[in-house]
Amino acid sequence: MFNFGFSPIQIFGLIVVLALVIAAGIWSYKYFTRHASYKDIFVPMPQNLRHDLFYGSYMCFQNQVNEVKDFVNLHWECFNEGLDKGFQNIREMQRFTVVDISGVIFQPYKANKPHMVLYDDYRQRLDAFIQQMREENLLHLVKVIVVIDEPNLNTTRSDFEQATLFVKDYVKTVPELAGVKMGVIYQGGVDTGYWAFEQYDIVGFDDYRRQSNIFSKDGEYNRMKAMLLGDQKIWLLPGGAKADGVPEQDPAAFEAVAHRDPEVFGIIMFLWADVGYEGIVGIRSIPKQQDLYTNLGLRILNLNTQV
């Protein structure tokens, strides 16, 4: 065997250095790909516009119900301000409702754990939650259930798949939830994959930093669209708020794609309200963004009345 004059120890050292260089290169590629700056691309508005799109905001905080109810036809409730406030929001909105049950069946983040994990008694907790909603006479408004937001970031694959299969079977036992859909938003721009993709009726991803570049020929939107099975739909998430990694997105390209592609379920703006503990300045507090997203909603609602 040729060693070109190197001792075994020197050869081993060279191998270690080469491995470190390769690892650093892979890390750098992933880091800079994730944190690169992107510019919007132009997507032309199709001539024929749809009359069946849904439009709303991810989450609901403070007085949001009264601020948005005139230009949305979808309400997304995560119960961030407690169950009672969430029930009040749903009751006052009286809209097609998406319910995120992560706070019901998953334990909060803990300092010694990198992910949210299921409660041991998550089945009983979900049953009690559904019974509360029944007593509040709100179940008939629930049209989509979200197990957890960004599962490929916030929990483990095993817990997410376990919860997904349980919830999907559980809702079949609740008469008021007949026909309810399962929805999910994955963290985009990562290589973890779309866990339990085939179990969901409505799928989507958030990658606000890439802006409308997600709609480029080789972008994540087209890759996800190519994976759709049967009647699966996609919801689009423009990052209209101001925060780290959220670029005060102009929603024009998202509106055009929603009207162009029948696979699109609707547009979910991120994020109407201010969320101080996460450093998010909401769409409502940025005048230009407020106008853009309010007018988008009014256009969608106006078209939906022209069926």
Side-chain angles (χ1 to χ4, degrees):
M1 179 178 177
F2 297 103
N3 63 15
F4 301 100
F6 293 110
S7 69
I9 293 176
Q10 289 174 317
I11 291 173
F12 176 75
L14 288 172
I15 292 173
V16 170
V17 170
L18 182 60
L20 290 172
V21 169
I22 292 172
I26 293 172
W27 180 88
S28 297
Y29 172 79
K30 291 183 176 181
Y31 178 86
F32 288 110
T33 298
R34 182 67 179 158
H35 293 82
S37 297
Y38 296 86
K39 293 183 179 180
D40 272 321
I41 62 174
F42 173 71
V43 179
M45 185 70 73
Q47 184 175 0
N48 296 320
L49 303 182
R50 293 175 56 183
H51 301 268
D52 60 347
L53 288 171
F54 283 91
Y55 183 69
S57 174
Y58 177 73
M59 295 202 297
C60 183
F61 284 96
Q62 298 116 28
N63 194 41
Q64 181 172 320
V65 168
N66 292 323
E67 295 171 2
V68 306
K69 66 189 308 182
D70 291 336
F71 62 91
V72 302
N73 59 0
L74 176 148
H75 174 65
W76 194 298
E77 186 57 59
C78 296
F79 302 96
N80 300 86
E81 297 175 302
L83 289 182
D84 289 342
K85 181 61 162 60
F87 293 155
Q88 177 185 336
N89 292 339
I90 296 171
R91 185 178 301 107
E92 292 180 359
M93 281 293 287
Q94 292 292 313
R95 299 290 192 278
F96 181 110
T97 300
V98 179
V99 169
D100 182 323
I101 60 170
S102 58
V104 176
I105 64 174
F106 282 89
Q107 301 177 42
Y109 270 110
K110 295 182 179 179
N112 62 337
K113 293 185 177 181
H115 300 105
M116 295 171 67
V117 298
L118 286 167
Y119 284 108
D120 291 337
D121 60 345
Y122 73 91
R123 298 171 180 85
Q124 292 81 5
R125 287 173 178 268
L126 179 60
D127 198 47
F129 169 75
I130 294 298
Q131 181 58 34
Q132 283 182 278
M133 291 205 72
R134 178 179 287 117
E135 293 170 358
E136 297 285 341
N137 193 29
L138 296 174
L139 283 177
H140 66 287
L141 293 171
V142 178
K143 306 300 181 183
V144 182
I145 291 180
V146 171
V147 169
I148 189 171
D149 182 50
E150 295 182 323
N152 52 340
L153 171 68
N154 290 319
T155 188
T156 64
R157 182 169 190 159
S158 59
D159 270 10
F160 178 62
E161 291 178 345
Q162 178 180 338
T164 294
L165 293 174
F166 172 73
V167 173
K168 193 169 183 178
D169 285 339
Y170 176 85
V171 297
K172 296 175 183 176
T173 70
V174 182
E176 300 96 326
L177 295 179
V180 73
K181 306 289 187 184
M182 296 285 288
V184 61
I185 299 172
Y186 299 98
Q187 182 188 29
V190 296
D191 54 8
T192 54
Y194 304 137
W195 304 338
F197 185 88
E198 71 283 356
Q199 301 296 334
Y200 282 85
D201 303 292
I202 311 172
V203 297
F205 66 92
D206 53 39
D207 192 357
Y208 308 118
R209 197 180 302 274
R210 279 183 170 79
Q211 300 183 269
S212 59
N213 271 268
I214 62 170
F215 302 124
S216 64
K217 182 179 179 181
D218 299 321
E220 189 162 359
Y221 169 76
N222 283 319
R223 296 199 300 272
M224 176 175 277
K225 190 170 71 167
M227 294 174 59
L228 295 179
L229 304 168
D231 295 327
Q232 279 183 316
K233 301 291 185 183
I234 300 178
W235 37 31
L236 306 179
L237 289 106
K242 180 179 181 180
D244 181 33
V246 185
E248 298 182 50
Q249 179 67 51
D250 184 317
F254 293 78
E255 180 181 12
V257 170
H259 281 293
R260 183 193 70 192
D261 294 350
E263 298 90 348
V264 174
F265 172 84
I267 299 173
I268 311 298
M269 55 178 154
F270 183 90
L271 183 66
W272 179 261
D274 303 307
V275 188
Y277 65 86
E278 291 191 0
I280 297 174
V281 179
I283 291 169
R284 76 172 180 211
S285 295
I286 309 170
K288 178 184 176 182
Q289 297 301 91
Q290 183 183 134
D291 289 344
L292 286 172
Y293 283 85
T294 299
N295 290 329
L296 170 56
L298 291 173
R299 286 194 296 274
I300 288 174
L301 266 59
N302 182 56
L303 284 165
N304 287 3
T305 64
Q306 298 176 16
V307 179

PDB file of all heavy atoms in Angstrom, residues 272-295:
ATOM      1  N   TRP A 272     -51.678  38.468  11.695  1.00  0.00           N
ATOM      2  CA  TRP A 272     -52.390  39.728  11.864  1.00  0.00           C
ATOM      3  C   TRP A 272     -51.993  40.447  13.155  1.00  0.00           C
ATOM      4  O   TRP A 272     -51.711  41.644  13.162  1.00  0.00           O
ATOM      5  CB  TRP A 272     -53.897  39.503  11.849  1.00  0.00           C
ATOM      6  CG  TRP A 272     -54.679  40.768  12.046  1.00  0.00           C
ATOM      7  CD1 TRP A 272     -55.246  41.229  13.209  1.00  0.00           C
ATOM      8  CD2 TRP A 272     -54.940  41.771  11.055  1.00  0.00           C
ATOM      9  NE1 TRP A 272     -55.850  42.443  13.003  1.00  0.00           N
ATOM     10  CE2 TRP A 272     -55.679  42.805  11.685  1.00  0.00           C
ATOM     11  CE3 TRP A 272     -54.625  41.903   9.710  1.00  0.00           C
ATOM     12  CZ2 TRP A 272     -56.104  43.946  11.014  1.00  0.00           C
ATOM     13  CZ3 TRP A 272     -55.053  43.035   9.023  1.00  0.00           C
ATOM     14  CH2 TRP A 272     -55.783  44.041   9.682  1.00  0.00           C
ATOM     15  N   ALA A 273     -52.003  39.729  14.256  1.00  0.00           N
ATOM     16  CA  ALA A 273     -51.820  40.362  15.562  1.00  0.00           C
ATOM     17  C   ALA A 273     -50.350  40.559  15.926  1.00  0.00           C
ATOM     18  O   ALA A 273     -49.458  39.909  15.389  1.00  0.00           O
ATOM     19  CB  ALA A 273     -52.503  39.529  16.644  1.00  0.00           C
ATOM     20  N   ASP A 274     -50.108  41.490  16.849  1.00  0.00           N
ATOM     21  CA  ASP A 274     -48.782  41.640  17.440  1.00  0.00           C
ATOM     22  C   ASP A 274     -48.585  40.546  18.489  1.00  0.00           C
ATOM     23  O   ASP A 274     -49.484  40.296  19.297  1.00  0.00           O
ATOM     24  CB  ASP A 274     -48.646  43.005  18.122  1.00  0.00           C
ATOM     25  CG  ASP A 274     -48.921  44.157  17.166  1.00  0.00           C
ATOM     26  OD1 ASP A 274     -48.296  44.180  16.095  1.00  0.00           O
ATOM     27  OD2 ASP A 274     -49.758  45.021  17.493  1.00  0.00           O
ATOM     28  N   VAL A 275     -47.424  39.911  18.462  1.00  0.00           N
ATOM     29  CA  VAL A 275     -47.113  38.878  19.454  1.00  0.00           C
ATOM     30  C   VAL A 275     -45.819  39.292  20.135  1.00  0.00           C
ATOM     31  O   VAL A 275     -44.722  38.943  19.698  1.00  0.00           O
ATOM     32  CB  VAL A 275     -46.985  37.485  18.802  1.00  0.00           C
ATOM     33  CG1 VAL A 275     -46.848  36.413  19.881  1.00  0.00           C
ATOM     34  CG2 VAL A 275     -48.192  37.187  17.911  1.00  0.00           C
ATOM     35  N   GLY A 276     -45.952  40.073  21.198  1.00  0.00           N
ATOM     36  CA  GLY A 276     -44.804  40.673  21.839  1.00  0.00           C
ATOM     37  C   GLY A 276     -43.781  39.696  22.338  1.00  0.00           C
ATOM     38  O   GLY A 276     -42.570  39.903  22.200  1.00  0.00           O
ATOM     39  N   TYR A 277     -44.238  38.564  22.913  1.00  0.00           N
ATOM     40  CA  TYR A 277     -43.283  37.629  23.503  1.00  0.00           C
ATOM     41  C   TYR A 277     -42.456  36.911  22.438  1.00  0.00           C
ATOM     42  O   TYR A 277     -41.439  36.290  22.748  1.00  0.00           O
ATOM     43  CB  TYR A 277     -43.993  36.617  24.404  1.00  0.00           C
ATOM     44  CG  TYR A 277     -44.946  35.668  23.694  1.00  0.00           C
ATOM     45  CD1 TYR A 277     -44.498  34.478  23.127  1.00  0.00           C
ATOM     46  CD2 TYR A 277     -46.302  35.958  23.614  1.00  0.00           C
ATOM     47  CE1 TYR A 277     -45.371  33.612  22.498  1.00  0.00           C
ATOM     48  CE2 TYR A 277     -47.176  35.101  22.995  1.00  0.00           C
ATOM     49  CZ  TYR A 277     -46.715  33.918  22.438  1.00  0.00           C
ATOM     50  OH  TYR A 277     -47.591  33.064  21.809  1.00  0.00           O
ATOM     51  N   GLU A 278     -42.856  36.991  21.167  1.00  0.00           N
ATOM     52  CA  GLU A 278     -42.062  36.430  20.083  1.00  0.00           C
ATOM     53  C   GLU A 278     -41.444  37.520  19.208  1.00  0.00           C
ATOM     54  O   GLU A 278     -40.838  37.225  18.181  1.00  0.00           O
ATOM     55  CB  GLU A 278     -42.915  35.495  19.220  1.00  0.00           C
ATOM     56  CG  GLU A 278     -43.312  34.209  19.939  1.00  0.00           C
ATOM     57  CD  GLU A 278     -43.907  33.183  19.012  1.00  0.00           C
ATOM     58  OE1 GLU A 278     -44.022  33.457  17.799  1.00  0.00           O
ATOM     59  OE2 GLU A 278     -44.270  32.100  19.489  1.00  0.00           O
ATOM     60  N   GLY A 279     -41.613  38.773  19.600  1.00  0.00           N
ATOM     61  CA  GLY A 279     -41.020  39.874  18.854  1.00  0.00           C
ATOM     62  C   GLY A 279     -41.652  40.113  17.497  1.00  0.00           C
ATOM     63  O   GLY A 279     -40.992  40.623  16.583  1.00  0.00           O
ATOM     64  N   ILE A 280     -42.919  39.765  17.358  1.00  0.00           N
ATOM     65  CA  ILE A 280     -43.602  39.898  16.069  1.00  0.00           C
ATOM     66  C   ILE A 280     -44.446  41.159  16.046  1.00  0.00           C
ATOM     67  O   ILE A 280     -45.305  41.366  16.914  1.00  0.00           O
ATOM     68  CB  ILE A 280     -44.504  38.682  15.790  1.00  0.00           C
ATOM     69  CG1 ILE A 280     -43.665  37.402  15.686  1.00  0.00           C
ATOM     70  CG2 ILE A 280     -45.312  38.884  14.508  1.00  0.00           C
ATOM     71  CD1 ILE A 280     -44.476  36.134  15.543  1.00  0.00           C
ATOM     72  N   VAL A 281     -44.194  42.021  15.060  1.00  0.00           N
ATOM     73  CA  VAL A 281     -45.070  43.161  14.791  1.00  0.00           C
ATOM     74  C   VAL A 281     -46.069  42.705  13.744  1.00  0.00           C
ATOM     75  O   VAL A 281     -45.701  42.382  12.612  1.00  0.00           O
ATOM     76  CB  VAL A 281     -44.266  44.377  14.280  1.00  0.00           C
ATOM     77  CG1 VAL A 281     -45.208  45.543  13.997  1.00  0.00           C
ATOM     78  CG2 VAL A 281     -43.197  44.766  15.285  1.00  0.00           C
ATOM     79  N   GLY A 282     -47.325  42.650  14.127  1.00  0.00           N
ATOM     80  CA  GLY A 282     -48.341  42.080  13.259  1.00  0.00           C
ATOM     81  C   GLY A 282     -48.702  42.958  12.079  1.00  0.00           C
ATOM     82  O   GLY A 282     -48.419  44.157  12.041  1.00  0.00           O
ATOM     83  N   ILE A 283     -49.369  42.337  11.120  1.00  0.00           N
ATOM     84  CA  ILE A 283     -49.835  43.040   9.930  1.00  0.00           C
ATOM     85  C   ILE A 283     -50.682  44.241  10.317  1.00  0.00           C
ATOM     86  O   ILE A 283     -50.618  45.298   9.685  1.00  0.00           O
ATOM     87  CB  ILE A 283     -50.619  42.066   9.031  1.00  0.00           C
ATOM     88  CG1 ILE A 283     -49.674  41.020   8.419  1.00  0.00           C
ATOM     89  CG2 ILE A 283     -51.385  42.796   7.935  1.00  0.00           C
ATOM     90  CD1 ILE A 283     -50.385  39.868   7.733  1.00  0.00           C
ATOM     91  N   ARG A 284     -51.458  44.103  11.358  1.00  0.00           N
ATOM     92  CA  ARG A 284     -52.367  45.179  11.738  1.00  0.00           C
ATOM     93  C   ARG A 284     -51.632  46.449  12.165  1.00  0.00           C
ATOM     94  O   ARG A 284     -52.208  47.539  12.149  1.00  0.00           O
ATOM     95  CB  ARG A 284     -53.289  44.719  12.858  1.00  0.00           C
ATOM     96  CG  ARG A 284     -52.650  44.647  14.231  1.00  0.00           C
ATOM     97  CD  ARG A 284     -53.716  44.378  15.267  1.00  0.00           C
ATOM     98  NE  ARG A 284     -53.183  44.285  16.613  1.00  0.00           N
ATOM     99  CZ  ARG A 284     -53.721  43.520  17.546  1.00  0.00           C
ATOM    100  NH1 ARG A 284     -54.752  42.772  17.263  1.00  0.00           N
ATOM    101  NH2 ARG A 284     -53.229  43.498  18.749  1.00  0.00           N
ATOM    102  N   SER A 285     -50.365  46.309  12.582  1.00  0.00           N
ATOM    103  CA  SER A 285     -49.612  47.462  13.070  1.00  0.00           C
ATOM    104  C   SER A 285     -48.677  48.052  12.023  1.00  0.00           C
ATOM    105  O   SER A 285     -47.897  48.952  12.332  1.00  0.00           O
ATOM    106  CB  SER A 285     -48.799  47.057  14.312  1.00  0.00           C
ATOM    107  OG  SER A 285     -49.670  46.706  15.371  1.00  0.00           O
ATOM    108  N   ILE A 286     -48.737  47.560  10.803  1.00  0.00           N
ATOM    109  CA  ILE A 286     -47.924  48.072   9.697  1.00  0.00           C
ATOM    110  C   ILE A 286     -48.895  48.573   8.629  1.00  0.00           C
ATOM    111  O   ILE A 286     -49.489  47.772   7.910  1.00  0.00           O
ATOM    112  CB  ILE A 286     -47.014  46.970   9.117  1.00  0.00           C
ATOM    113  CG1 ILE A 286     -46.220  46.270  10.234  1.00  0.00           C
ATOM    114  CG2 ILE A 286     -46.067  47.554   8.057  1.00  0.00           C
ATOM    115  CD1 ILE A 286     -45.484  45.033   9.785  1.00  0.00           C
ATOM    116  N   PRO A 287     -49.126  49.883   8.537  1.00  0.00           N
ATOM    117  CA  PRO A 287     -50.196  50.416   7.675  1.00  0.00           C
ATOM    118  C   PRO A 287     -50.210  49.861   6.251  1.00  0.00           C
ATOM    119  O   PRO A 287     -51.272  49.470   5.743  1.00  0.00           O
ATOM    120  CB  PRO A 287     -49.924  51.927   7.691  1.00  0.00           C
ATOM    121  CG  PRO A 287     -49.286  52.162   9.031  1.00  0.00           C
ATOM    122  CD  PRO A 287     -48.434  50.960   9.274  1.00  0.00           C
ATOM    123  N   LYS A 288     -49.057  49.798   5.604  1.00  0.00           N
ATOM    124  CA  LYS A 288     -49.016  49.289   4.233  1.00  0.00           C
ATOM    125  C   LYS A 288     -49.473  47.839   4.177  1.00  0.00           C
ATOM    126  O   LYS A 288     -50.267  47.450   3.292  1.00  0.00           O
ATOM    127  CB  LYS A 288     -47.600  49.405   3.663  1.00  0.00           C
ATOM    128  CG  LYS A 288     -47.466  48.847   2.248  1.00  0.00           C
ATOM    129  CD  LYS A 288     -46.021  48.902   1.766  1.00  0.00           C
ATOM    130  CE  LYS A 288     -45.865  48.257   0.394  1.00  0.00           C
ATOM    131  NZ  LYS A 288     -44.448  48.262  -0.053  1.00  0.00           N
ATOM    132  N   GLN A 289     -49.006  47.036   5.113  1.00  0.00           N
ATOM    133  CA  GLN A 289     -49.372  45.627   5.138  1.00  0.00           C
ATOM    134  C   GLN A 289     -50.845  45.443   5.480  1.00  0.00           C
ATOM    135  O   GLN A 289     -51.530  44.582   4.921  1.00  0.00           O
ATOM    136  CB  GLN A 289     -48.501  44.871   6.141  1.00  0.00           C
ATOM    137  CG  GLN A 289     -47.016  44.848   5.816  1.00  0.00           C
ATOM    138  CD  GLN A 289     -46.736  44.216   4.470  1.00  0.00           C
ATOM    139  OE1 GLN A 289     -46.677  44.893   3.439  1.00  0.00           O
ATOM    140  NE2 GLN A 289     -46.569  42.910   4.458  1.00  0.00           N
ATOM    141  N   GLN A 290     -51.324  46.254   6.402  1.00  0.00           N
ATOM    142  CA  GLN A 290     -52.735  46.178   6.757  1.00  0.00           C
ATOM    143  C   GLN A 290     -53.618  46.423   5.533  1.00  0.00           C
ATOM    144  O   GLN A 290     -54.590  45.697   5.300  1.00  0.00           O
ATOM    145  CB  GLN A 290     -53.067  47.195   7.844  1.00  0.00           C
ATOM    146  CG  GLN A 290     -54.512  47.130   8.314  1.00  0.00           C
ATOM    147  CD  GLN A 290     -54.826  48.192   9.345  1.00  0.00           C
ATOM    148  OE1 GLN A 290     -55.847  48.863   9.248  1.00  0.00           O
ATOM    149  NE2 GLN A 290     -53.962  48.352  10.340  1.00  0.00           N
ATOM    150  N   ASP A 291     -53.271  47.413   4.725  1.00  0.00           N
ATOM    151  CA  ASP A 291     -54.043  47.698   3.515  1.00  0.00           C
ATOM    152  C   ASP A 291     -53.967  46.535   2.528  1.00  0.00           C
ATOM    153  O   ASP A 291     -54.988  46.118   1.954  1.00  0.00           O
ATOM    154  CB  ASP A 291     -53.538  48.978   2.845  1.00  0.00           C
ATOM    155  CG  ASP A 291     -53.900  50.231   3.630  1.00  0.00           C
ATOM    156  OD1 ASP A 291     -54.785  50.148   4.500  1.00  0.00           O
ATOM    157  OD2 ASP A 291     -53.289  51.289   3.377  1.00  0.00           O
ATOM    158  N   LEU A 292     -52.755  46.013   2.304  1.00  0.00           N
ATOM    159  CA  LEU A 292     -52.583  44.927   1.336  1.00  0.00           C
ATOM    160  C   LEU A 292     -53.406  43.701   1.717  1.00  0.00           C
ATOM    161  O   LEU A 292     -54.108  43.114   0.874  1.00  0.00           O
ATOM    162  CB  LEU A 292     -51.107  44.541   1.240  1.00  0.00           C
ATOM    163  CG  LEU A 292     -50.173  45.498   0.498  1.00  0.00           C
ATOM    164  CD1 LEU A 292     -48.712  45.059   0.664  1.00  0.00           C
ATOM    165  CD2 LEU A 292     -50.533  45.563  -0.980  1.00  0.00           C
ATOM    166  N   TYR A 293     -53.332  43.308   2.975  1.00  0.00           N
ATOM    167  CA  TYR A 293     -53.980  42.068   3.391  1.00  0.00           C
ATOM    168  C   TYR A 293     -55.477  42.237   3.617  1.00  0.00           C
ATOM    169  O   TYR A 293     -56.247  41.286   3.404  1.00  0.00           O
ATOM    170  CB  TYR A 293     -53.281  41.500   4.625  1.00  0.00           C
ATOM    171  CG  TYR A 293     -51.978  40.818   4.271  1.00  0.00           C
ATOM    172  CD1 TYR A 293     -50.793  41.551   4.138  1.00  0.00           C
ATOM    173  CD2 TYR A 293     -51.928  39.453   4.017  1.00  0.00           C
ATOM    174  CE1 TYR A 293     -49.599  40.941   3.772  1.00  0.00           C
ATOM    175  CE2 TYR A 293     -50.738  38.837   3.657  1.00  0.00           C
ATOM    176  CZ  TYR A 293     -49.577  39.580   3.530  1.00  0.00           C
ATOM    177  OH  TYR A 293     -48.407  38.967   3.158  1.00  0.00           O
ATOM    178  N   THR A 294     -55.895  43.426   4.026  1.00  0.00           N
ATOM    179  CA  THR A 294     -57.331  43.677   4.136  1.00  0.00           C
ATOM    180  C   THR A 294     -57.980  43.661   2.765  1.00  0.00           C
ATOM    181  O   THR A 294     -59.020  43.020   2.546  1.00  0.00           O
ATOM    182  CB  THR A 294     -57.587  45.030   4.823  1.00  0.00           C
ATOM    183  OG1 THR A 294     -57.042  45.005   6.145  1.00  0.00           O
ATOM    184  CG2 THR A 294     -59.085  45.311   4.911  1.00  0.00           C
ATOM    185  N   ASN A 295     -57.373  44.338   1.811  1.00  0.00           N
ATOM    186  CA  ASN A 295     -57.931  44.396   0.460  1.00  0.00           C
ATOM    187  C   ASN A 295     -57.909  43.030  -0.222  1.00  0.00           C
ATOM    188  O   ASN A 295     -58.832  42.707  -0.993  1.00  0.00           O
ATOM    189  CB  ASN A 295     -57.183  45.425  -0.380  1.00  0.00           C
ATOM    190  CG  ASN A 295     -57.463  46.852   0.069  1.00  0.00           C
ATOM    191  OD1 ASN A 295     -58.552  47.148   0.563  1.00  0.00           O
ATOM    192  ND2 ASN A 295     -56.494  47.741  -0.079  1.00  0.00           N
TER     193      ASN A 295
END
